[in-house]
Amino acid sequence: MGETAIDNDLLLKSFYAEVSEVERDNEVVRILSCFKLNAFEYLNLPFDASPEDVKKQYRKLSLLVHPDKCKHPQAKDAFSALAKAQQLLLDEQERDYIISQVNAAKDELRAKRKKQLKKDTASKIKSLVEEGKYDLQYERSEEFQQELKLKVRELLTEQEWRRRKMQMRISEEEGRLKKDEDEAKEMWKRKREHEEQWEGTREQRVSSWRDFMKGGKKAKKGEIRPPKLKTEDPNKSYVQRPVKRG
């Protein structure tokens, strides 16, 4: 009788271990299938969750998918995704950015609903009579929350695309400026090399110019020039050529 009770306990523990492992694997799959730009989705939290809610949910889910306890091959990736999501939602600037997109999404959905109510007289009258309670009730519904989730995805995607395009333009402009800078540096480098080369040949050029200026006035070294013939009249300044006698 006692052995049967022990066997049942072991079977029960084994069963719960299997169920727990399935739950862990399912959570890993859920996390890795989340929309990458929305940190609230990773932690499976509503958009109005507080920073304290974020910390509590992170502790809960991180224990569930921790690589030391979860055997799923991508448990480490899921664990890292949760850590990044918590970091973003605890960063005031990052959190405010996501919330701003949530508010923009709500405004678009409210405007869309307002147009729909104009066509539905009964719903419009009910909305006016209940002084906003009808709209508030709708926004708490699962239908609205799902629409809001999808609209937030859409807006976050658009903003991320704009950011990437702007970054591409900035990179292209930085590349163009870098190219202009490199070309300017190369031009000045060539100019300096030319000036240095020109200065290096200065002595040679000066020496050559001096030799050129001296040419015709003095005999070159080692050259013998014949004596000038003068006439017998010392008053004549020109040289008389010798007369050939017969």
Side-chain angles (χ1 to χ4, degrees):
M1 186 77 177
E3 292 181 359
T4 304
I6 293 175
D7 290 343
N8 288 336
D9 288 342
L10 291 175
L11 287 172
L12 187 61
K13 287 181 180 179
S14 176
F15 170 75
Y16 278 122
E18 290 177 7
V19 171
S20 176
E21 192 61 38
V22 170
E23 184 182 2
R24 291 177 187 276
D25 288 349
N26 288 341
E27 185 60 22
V28 169
V29 173
R30 184 199 69 79
I31 292 171
L32 296 180
S33 63
C34 284
F35 180 62
K36 296 183 181 299
L37 301 177
N38 188 355
F40 283 100
E41 287 194 29
Y42 280 106
L43 292 172
N44 200 18
L45 285 170
F47 293 120
D48 58 355
S50 67
E52 190 59 33
D53 293 333
V54 171
K55 294 177 184 178
K56 289 180 180 179
Q57 185 74 341
Y58 170 73
R59 284 194 293 269
K60 175 185 174 182
L61 297 182
S62 63
L63 288 174
L64 195 61
V65 301
H66 196 285
D68 292 342
K69 297 182 179 181
C70 181
K71 297 179 181 179
H72 194 284
Q74 292 181 290
K76 185 176 180 181
D77 295 333
F79 183 78
S80 299
L82 289 178
K84 184 177 180 181
Q86 179 190 225
Q87 181 183 5
L88 289 173
L89 293 180
L90 293 181
D91 183 291
E92 186 175 355
Q93 185 175 358
E94 293 289 344
R95 181 187 178 87
D96 288 347
Y97 167 71
I98 297 178
I99 294 300
S100 69
Q101 301 307 308
V102 173
N103 292 333
K106 285 182 178 180
D107 290 341
E108 286 194 26
L109 292 178
R110 285 165 181 163
K112 177 183 176 183
R113 178 168 172 76
K114 190 175 181 180
K115 289 181 179 179
Q116 291 174 344
L117 288 177
K118 287 182 179 180
K119 300 177 181 179
D120 185 352
T121 306
S123 296
K124 181 180 180 181
I125 293 174
K126 188 175 181 180
S127 177
L128 292 172
V129 170
E130 295 187 3
E131 297 180 349
K133 292 181 181 179
Y134 181 67
D135 294 333
L136 183 60
Q137 183 180 4
Y138 172 72
E139 291 187 8
R140 289 176 178 173
S141 68
E142 184 63 29
E143 180 185 354
F144 178 82
Q145 292 302 318
Q146 186 62 26
E147 286 184 359
L148 179 61
K149 183 179 179 179
L150 296 176
K151 178 57 70 172
V152 169
R153 287 184 178 185
E154 179 184 329
L155 296 184
L156 286 173
T157 301
E158 290 175 357
Q159 291 297 327
E160 177 63 13
W161 177 239
R162 291 192 185 98
R163 186 192 68 80
R164 292 190 182 186
K165 286 201 297 184
M166 181 61 68
Q167 188 59 46
M168 287 173 60
R169 290 176 183 174
I170 292 174
S171 298
E172 289 174 356
E173 182 64 17
E174 288 177 347
R176 187 186 65 79
L177 293 175
K178 181 68 168 56
K179 181 180 178 181
D180 292 345
E181 182 181 354
D182 291 343
E183 289 178 352
K185 286 181 179 179
E186 183 64 23
M187 182 186 71
W188 285 108
K189 179 182 178 182
R190 290 196 299 267
K191 183 178 180 181
R192 284 197 304 271
E193 290 175 349
H194 177 73
E195 290 175 349
E196 290 173 359
Q197 184 179 8
W198 178 260
E199 186 63 25
T201 60
R202 181 174 179 277
E203 291 298 328
Q204 180 181 353
R205 287 182 285 102
V206 171
S207 177
S208 298
W209 177 253
R210 287 173 179 169
D211 291 344
F212 173 74
M213 294 299 292
K214 291 177 181 179
K217 294 183 178 180
K218 293 185 178 180
K220 295 181 181 179
K221 188 174 181 181
E223 181 182 357
I224 300 175
R225 307 180 82 180
K228 295 181 180 180
L229 298 175
K230 297 183 178 180
T231 61
E232 294 180 358
D233 188 351
N235 293 326
K236 292 183 179 179
S237 58
Y238 62 89
V239 176
Q240 183 177 350
R241 293 180 181 274
V243 179
K244 186 176 180 180
R245 302 181 183 275

